């Protein structure tokens, strides 16, 4: 890129912002992208580079801000321009007809029409736009005042940062932020693997993600948004709710496409009941349908009670629950080694499918919910997707039910399971456990670990599934002819991968420590530990006290290391890595251990504390060399009592002359390792 003047940069930045937001809109709102991800990323990278060069060009609504800004201390409260009311509920077709009677009773002789739309199960948000710019986003709070979550809402990709058409001076838009079923189940799977408590449903997940002081966390949570109304507006011309929805869509908002307009309440009720059955097909959860009187002028005349408008009602779906019998509890091992108990029950129909099993998350939960094998249990689907046991029905027990305990050994490989302090999850510590092997291999080969290019997921999956490797050490015995027969492995790529594997044997100990995948031991800990212990043997024999004595190494890391090295299967893998010729020494520690490497010494005169031989031995131990005569290549002349002519020669050549004290300091350098 040629140098731009500031003005040119400002113009280009604005152009890029419009372009990026346009493509963002096509992708996240219209679901109709025209650019490839790479092309899109290039635009964002160009804008980011401009903003880096000219920091004053960064605007609050620049698309670069969608990754989340700096964490905040707390939330400030904001007063809504108009109160955010909630909806009255109807739980049956009968109650919906009652609502219609009340509405028509208040509007005698008038025509009425209703818009019916899905009730999204998320979190109500208020979005304020001034002259078309997104200036503030808030939670509902108590309806009068909410919390300012503007930076968090900016990370929601389907939220327009600028309105598309001639902007009104001020508009407060209302909508529902939510998490899709897919994002919810992925997030929970990640949380369970990490030993964290999963969210109960997508609504909690959305609320927890939006109320983060660090917007960077929100940005990673894949939230979405539907808008369904206007709270306060100056300069918006719409006479009806359906026109409002059309106006919102034209401004770039995501409006739920499932809404329908009805003149007859009977048809509106049928529509609600149809969605009650169909709701599980949607990629997001809805907990009912909202019926709204269409005419804004009629809405105004009907007004509201303190809590809710008289012109709208929520038809709430009955919760999907079923009763069945718990036949057994099975334990599975996840890809990172977490053991998860799963309830297996008599098949029941639930939220659109037949279900026979449900996660029980962990042992604590089984105790809390008082669940015994053989119990009658109530099951539901969290967020319509994840089957869960809601509760047991102890009053129906026969006395033949059995208490369940988590196994002391991994059901897949037999290693003794561990539960870390303060964690609910039980884990298998064996990196070669078949349940964990793929992830262990991928981690081992990853860039910051052993950096083996070409050993990616496609190859790892084949190696594990074809039983070609049983541990990370086995990659060092792979042969060209068998590897070349795998899918997508030509002779050339096989040779490349084997070359990479061979080269990885020379990696530093710090990388190997990280590559082993010891829980809590990251890249940084790998470096610190390698520097401090120097070799893998010394690290493996270090006690917990010796480990915690190292700066930056806390009790959590130390305990995890001890558990890891105590596991016989892990020790066997390490022995095989050593046999294969993998380097188990630290170059940093080696350098620190040989601080006098390359230095040439000449000794003259008598030292008080060391004989000449002892002094020479110490120098050599630290990597230095002792010469018999002084030359230009001499680094130090050590002068003791009664030095000889070597001292004169040193002076003549300008070689450094040190006394016994200075010499001792040099020798002491060894104890100054990191
Ligand atoms: S209209 C005056 N429409 O349901 C009330 N609300 O108690 C205006 N919700 O938390 C609400 N989908 O955020 C409306 N299509 C929809 C909705 C919806 C979800 C939420 C709303 C509020 C609750 C109503």
């Amino acid at each position: 890129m040629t140098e731009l003047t500031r003005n040119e940069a400002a113009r280009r930045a604005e152009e890029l912002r419009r372009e990026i937001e346009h493509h963002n809109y096509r992708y996240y709102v219209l679901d109709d992208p025209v650019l490839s991800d790479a092309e899109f990323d290039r635009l964002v990278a160009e804008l980011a580079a401009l903003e880096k060069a000219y920091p004053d060009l960064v605007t609050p609504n620049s698309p670069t801000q969608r990754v989340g800004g700096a964490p905040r201390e707390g939330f400030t409260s904001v007063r809504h321009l108009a109160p955010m009311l909630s909806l009255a509920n109807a739980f049956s077709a009968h109650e919906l007809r009652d609502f219609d009677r009340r509405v028509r009773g208040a509007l005698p002789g008038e025509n009425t029409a209703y818009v019916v739309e899905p009730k999204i199960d998320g979190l109500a948000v208020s979005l304020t736009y001034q002259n078309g710019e997104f200036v503030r986003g808030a939670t509902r709070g108590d309806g009068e005042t909410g919390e300012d979550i503007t930076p968090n809402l900016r990370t929601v990709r389907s939220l327009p940062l600028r309105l598309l058409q001639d902007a009104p001076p001020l508009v407060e838009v209302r909508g529902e932020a939510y998490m899709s079923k897919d994002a919810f189940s992925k997030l929970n799977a990640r949380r369970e693997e990490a030993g964290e408590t999963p969210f109960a449903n997508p609504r909690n997940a959305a609320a927890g993600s939006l109320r983060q002081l660090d917007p960077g966390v929100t940005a990673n949570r894949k939230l979405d948004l539907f808008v369904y109304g206007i709270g306060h507006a100056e300069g918006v011309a719409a006479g009806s709710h359906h026109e409002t929805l059309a106006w919102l869509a034209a401004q770039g908002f995501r409006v739920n496409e499932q809404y329908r307009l009805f003149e007859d309440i009977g048809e509106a009720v049928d529509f609600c009941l149809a969605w009650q059955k169909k709701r599980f097909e949607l990629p997001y959860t809805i907990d009912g349908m909202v019926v709204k009187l269409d005419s804004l002028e009629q809405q105004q005349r009907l007004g509201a009670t303190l809590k809710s408008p008289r012109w709208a009602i929520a038809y709430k779906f009955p919760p999907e629950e079923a009763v069945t019998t718990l036949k057994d509890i099975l334990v599975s091992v996840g890809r990172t080694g977490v053991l998860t108990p799963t309830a297996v029950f008599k098949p029941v129909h639930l939220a659109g499918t037949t279900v026979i099993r449900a996660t029980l998350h962990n042992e604590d939960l089984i105790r809390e919910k008082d669940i015994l094998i053989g119990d009658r249990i109530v099951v539901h689907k969290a967020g319509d997707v994840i089957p869960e046991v809601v509760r047991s029905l102890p009053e129906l027990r026969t006395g033949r039910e059995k208490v369940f305990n988590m196994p002391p050994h991994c059901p897949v490989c037999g290693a003794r399971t561990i539960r870390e302090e303060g964690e609910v999850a039980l884990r298998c510590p064996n990196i070669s456990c078949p349940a964990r092997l793929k992830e262990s291999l991928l981690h081992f080969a990853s860039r910051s670990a052993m950096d083996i290019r070409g050993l990616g997921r496609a190859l790892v999956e084949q190696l594990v599934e074809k039983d070609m490797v049983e541990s990370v050490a086995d990659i060092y015995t792979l042969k060209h002819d068998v590897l070349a027969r795998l899918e997508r492995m030509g002779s050339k790529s096989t040779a490349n991968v084997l070359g990479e594997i061979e080269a990885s044997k020379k990696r530093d100990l710090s990388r190997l420590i990280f590559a082993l995948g010891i829980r809590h031991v990251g890249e940084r800990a790998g470096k610190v530990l390698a520097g401090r212990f120097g070799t893998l043997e010394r690290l493996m024999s270090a006690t917990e006290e010796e480990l915690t004595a190292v700066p930056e190494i806390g009790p959590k890391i130390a305990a995890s290391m001890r558990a890891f090295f105590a596991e016989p299967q892990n020790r066997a893998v390490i022995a095989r890595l050593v046999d294969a010729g993998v380097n188990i020494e630290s170059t940093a520690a080696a350098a620190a251990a040989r601080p006098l490497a390359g230095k040439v010494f000449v000794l003259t005169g008598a030292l008080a504390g060391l004989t000449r031989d002892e002094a020479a031995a110490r120098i050599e131990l630290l990597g230095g060399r002792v010469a018999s005569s002084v030359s230009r290549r001499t680094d130090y002349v050590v002068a003791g009592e009664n030095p000889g002519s070597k001292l004169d020669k040193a002076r003549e050549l300008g070689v450094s002359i040190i006394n016994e004290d200075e010499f001792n300091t040099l020798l002491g350098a060894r104890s100054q390792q990191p």
Side-chain angles (χ1 to χ4, degrees), residues 462-498:
Q462 295 190 70
L463 291 176
V464 173
E465 276 154 28
K466 295 194 164 47
D467 292 328
M468 291 166 69
V469 293
E470 287 178 356
S471 82
V472 293
D474 288 341
I475 61 168
Y476 292 104
T477 56
L478 289 173
K479 296 278 179 294
H480 188 284
D481 52 340
V482 259
L483 212 49
R485 266 183 257 131
L486 297 178
E487 263 170 52
R488 279 188 279 165
M489 292 297 290
S491 174
K492 188 148 172 252
S493 47
T494 301
N496 284 346
V497 173
L498 286 174

Side-chain angles (χ1 to χ4, degrees), residues 41 97 160 175-177 184 266 268 288 305 343 400 411 480 489 522 613 641 653 672:
D41 291 346
R97 289 177 193 280
E176 197 84 351
F184 166 69
T305 68
R400 288 196 300 272
H480 188 284
M489 292 297 290
D613 282 349
E641 283 291 303
L653 295 176
Q672 291 167 8

Side-chain angles (χ1 to χ4, degrees), residues 85-87 117-120 124 175-176 228 290 292 309 311:
L85 302 178
S86 60
L87 292 167
E117 57 196 38
K119 184 169 184 298
I120 315 297
E176 197 84 351
Y228 52 68
V290 186
K292 299 173 180 173
W311 45 265

Side-chain angles (χ1 to χ4, degrees), residues 83-89 116-125 140 174-177 226-229 241 245 256 286-292 304 307-309 311-312 314 316:
M84 285 179 84
L85 302 178
S86 60
L87 292 167
N89 292 326
V116 184
E117 57 196 38
K119 184 169 184 298
I120 315 297
D121 198 10
L123 191 77
V125 290
R140 176 169 179 270
R174 305 274 167 88
E176 197 84 351
F226 278 124
V227 304
Y228 52 68
H241 182 62
L245 293 179
N256 192 294
I286 63 174
D287 59 341
M289 300 297 284
V290 186
V291 180
K292 299 173 180 173
K307 284 202 309 226
S308 48
W311 45 265
K316 296 288 280 275

Side-chain angles (χ1 to χ4, degrees), residues 2 135 202 272 290 316 359 369 420 443 490 522 539 547 554 610 662:
T2 49
V135 291
C272 290
V290 186
K316 296 288 280 275
T359 173
K369 292 191 174 164
E420 286 177 31
H443 174 74
L539 176 65
L547 289 166
L610 292 169
E662 289 164 327

Side-chain angles (χ1 to χ4, degrees), residues 249-261:
Q251 288 294 358
F253 289 102
R254 228 171 131 238
V255 172
N256 192 294
E257 63 280 19
Q258 308 296 352
Y259 76 86
R260 287 267 301 273
L261 185 63

